[in-house]
Amino acid sequence: MASYKKLSGNSDQETSARRLNGALTYDKWRRDDLYHLAAQKGIKDRAKMSNEELVDALKRAH
């Protein structure tokens, strides 16, 4: 669960991604991390989504 804790604050991954292109990249995140972030953002039907669908939903919600 250590990586999940990084989701709530500025992680090295988030900082690096913002430096590269000004936006978060979720492509390399684990499914459970994507799922928990989607829950925080209130994304519905997240349990039925694939990793790719979660990434797309999180990018739209951001």
Side-chain angles (χ1 to χ4, degrees), residues 4 7-8 13-14 18 22-47 49-62:
Y4 175 65
L7 293 176
S8 61
Q13 180 181 9
E14 179 178 307
R18 287 188 182 197
L24 286 174
T25 60
Y26 301 108
D27 301 325
K28 304 255 184 201
W29 287 28
R30 297 180 328 171
R31 178 171 172 50
D32 59 332
D33 293 333
L34 292 168
Y35 180 87
H36 287 293
L37 185 57
Q40 286 180 343
K41 299 219 180 253
I43 295 172
K44 298 187 185 299
D45 296 325
R46 62 191 170 273
M49 293 183 183
S50 67
N51 282 15
E52 293 80 18
E53 291 170 323
L54 284 168
V55 167
D56 289 341
L58 286 166
K59 286 179 180 178
R60 285 192 307 271
H62 202 70

Side-chain angles (χ1 to χ4, degrees), residues 11-24:
S11 68
D12 294 336
Q13 180 181 9
E14 179 178 307
T15 304
S16 298
R18 287 188 182 197
R19 267 190 244 130
L20 288 174
N21 61 8
L24 286 174

